Amino acid sequence: MNIDLRIVSGIVGGNIRFTDPSEDGYGYYIFVGDSGIRAEDVSLYYEKLGYAAENADRLIAAGFREEFFGFYGVDREKAVSPESMRNRLIFDSFVLVPPKKTIEFCVSNPEFMLGHFIEYVWSYDWVLRGVWIN
């Protein structure tokens, strides 16, 4: 059982903070290793994605650090400022990891972070466990 990208598109469709899954659906998935995806994992995925779509600004702001603006992979002329950078970040991926009970996503913007991203790791209860830039 896999997630349905049409449902994903319906959840995030029109949200400027998310890439269109019809253009690049590779970032939207459930990672379970060899155990297989269960129906409850798929339901949980849609639930957590819906929450992220409704709270994208808050989730990005919660882990964003001003020092990310100084990262070598950020074009500071195009990003303009830490606030501008944060406000223009877009979800490149959204992954549910049931074995670890985490939600992991990457945000980026090809205009000023080409080939680089900020990765967030959250618990199922939306407690931030880690964030880093790569």
Side-chain angles (χ1 to χ4, degrees), residues 47-53 55 58-59 91 94 103-105 121-129:
E47 175 190 325
K48 298 302 182 184
L49 180 61
Y51 181 88
N55 296 282
R58 186 187 68 74
L59 293 174
F91 282 69
F94 190 87
I103 302 139
E104 303 181 13
F105 59 79
V121 177
W122 297 85
S123 71
Y124 279 1
D125 295 326
W126 295 106
V127 174
L128 187 61
R129 290 191 175 170

Side-chain angles (χ1 to χ4, degrees), residues 58-66 68 118 120 122 128 130-132:
R58 186 187 68 74
L59 293 174
I60 290 171
F64 186 85
R65 296 187 219 131
E66 280 197 26
F68 291 163
I118 301 169
Y120 290 71
W122 297 85
L128 187 61
V131 61
W132 56 90

Side-chain angles (χ1 to χ4, degrees), residues 70-97:
F71 180 69
Y72 76 91
V74 173
D75 183 333
R76 285 177 286 289
E77 287 183 18
K78 292 180 180 175
V80 182
S81 69
E83 296 79 23
S84 174
M85 177 182 170
R86 182 191 67 230
N87 292 334
R88 294 166 50 205
L89 290 170
I90 300 165
F91 282 69
D92 286 336
S93 65
F94 190 87
V95 180
L96 187 76
V97 186

Side-chain angles (χ1 to χ4, degrees), residues 107-125:
V107 295
S108 186
N109 188 313
E111 292 177 27
F112 54 82
M113 288 181 70
L114 190 59
H116 298 280
F117 55 88
I118 301 169
E119 185 170 353
Y120 290 71
V121 177
W122 297 85
S123 71
Y124 279 1
D125 295 326

